[in-house]
Amino acid sequence: MLAKRIIPCLDIRNGQTVKGVNFVNIREVGDPVELGAYYAQQGADELVFLDITASHEERKTFPDLVRRIAQGVNIPFTVGGGISELKDADILLSAGADKISINSSAVRNPQLVSDMAHNFGSQFVVVAIDARFDETSGEWIVTVKGGREATEKRLFSWAKEVQERGAGEILFTSMNHDGVKQGFANEALAKLSTELSIPIIASGGAGKMEHFKDVFTIGKADAGLAASIFHFKEIAIPDLKEYLRNNGITVR
């Protein structure tokens, strides 16, 4: 079995790492360059940096910040936010990012996923999907602009489409679970993992070590991503990996 990955996520706004609950009530938690280096030393398998207001503010992610992060880490890192054309991805990959993540721009222009996979290779392309479960319809509705705007797309059909278009990974964030620390959306994750052949990164809901065990066993996810529990040192990555090993889960 492939080793499961632990991925700290750094949401960046105005050059600072921030964290909110359900994508709102944002507060600052530190310098992304310093935090990235710290997590690399702690044994994180990868890092994800998301410029969370770039799409909403219709601007680009800053390549100079990406360059500074790259100099301080020795593990793969993914950068997302405001990437709307091939040139944007090329600039960030040249600045040192290992993968790029697209979300709102992929929903607006699905051909972008195909073009990026063709130009850079599937292994460089992560499609992030933020979705909210609608109790009335019983469907997962895909949202854009940091969860601010609902779309016509639905989670499972959209995930299949981006896989067919060449995405190398899917980063699925449950808007319902984000920041509330009650566990991941394991039922939806298990369905994604069963229906798709590319890796699924689970995001939204981590609050304790048991939630990671569940997301890997019940949710069948390939990677578990979290922010606040790492930022506020509620869980240390070495302790989490030891716990997972003790529960029979293969980690790096």
Side-chain angles (χ1 to χ4, degrees):
M1 182 176 72
L2 284 174
K4 303 297 188 180
R5 289 171 286 152
I6 303 298
I7 306 177
C9 179
L10 292 89
D11 293 334
I12 298 169
R13 183 178 70 175
N14 301 326
Q16 287 293 305
T17 308
V18 296
K19 184 58 193 146
V21 177
N22 301 128
F23 285 38
V24 294
N25 300 324
I26 305 290
R27 56 177 170 155
E28 288 190 2
V29 294
D31 176 72
V33 178
E34 291 177 8
L35 278 170
Y38 169 74
Y39 289 134
Q41 292 164 359
Q42 281 277 297
D45 298 301
E46 295 185 20
L47 297 166
V48 168
F49 293 85
L50 300 177
D51 190 332
I52 59 169
T53 54
S55 293
H56 176 60
E57 294 169 1
E58 298 184 350
R59 60 170 174 77
K60 306 301 184 186
T61 295
F62 304 121
D64 55 326
L65 178 59
V66 173
R67 203 168 284 111
R68 285 166 53 219
I69 291 165
Q71 289 167 353
V73 302
N74 57 356
I75 55 175
F77 77 100
T78 300
V79 177
I83 300 168
S84 58
E85 53 188 346
L86 290 175
K87 182 176 68 177
D88 301 332
D90 193 35
I91 288 168
L92 295 172
L93 290 168
S94 298
D98 296 284
K99 305 176 197 176
I100 48 95
S101 170
I102 51 174
N103 187 336
S104 300
S105 57
V107 173
R108 282 194 307 270
N109 175 23
Q111 181 61 34
L112 183 64
V113 181
S114 309
D115 292 345
M116 288 199 171
H118 176 73
N119 278 269
F120 304 115
S122 292
Q123 72 272 22
F124 294 104
V125 183
V126 179
V127 174
I129 303 177
D130 299 335
R132 190 185 302 278
F133 185 73
D134 180 64
E135 298 281 355
T136 307
S137 64
E139 292 187 303
W140 283 92
I141 296 167
V142 175
T143 65
V144 293
K145 295 188 176 178
R148 294 174 180 84
E149 195 176 290
T151 72
E152 296 296 312
K153 294 193 183 294
R154 299 298 178 258
L155 171 62
F156 301 107
S157 57
W158 176 230
K160 285 178 186 170
E161 180 179 341
V162 299
Q163 174 179 272
E164 287 164 6
R165 287 182 174 276
E169 282 183 289
I170 286 173
L171 167 53
F172 164 51
T173 301
S174 164
M175 305 287 300
N176 309 71
H177 296 71
D178 177 70
V180 296
K181 301 183 180 179
Q182 298 298 308
F184 293 90
N186 290 320
E187 192 176 325
L189 285 160
K191 185 173 180 183
L192 281 173
S193 297
T194 301
E195 293 184 356
L196 302 181
S197 59
I198 58 177
I200 308 296
I201 303 168
S203 168
K208 52 187 180 180
M209 294 190 194
E210 185 184 342
H211 294 153
F212 285 91
K213 174 170 70 79
D214 291 345
V215 82
F216 294 139
T217 54
I218 303 168
K220 299 178 169 54
D222 299 277
L225 178 144
S228 58
I229 59 163
F230 297 139
H231 298 339
F232 303 121
K233 298 189 169 56
E234 294 164 33
I235 294 177
I237 292 171
D239 296 343
L240 174 58
K241 288 194 167 187
E242 184 180 6
Y243 166 84
L244 292 170
R245 285 189 200 100
N246 291 339
N247 279 274
I249 295 164
T250 304
V251 292
R252 294 177 186 172

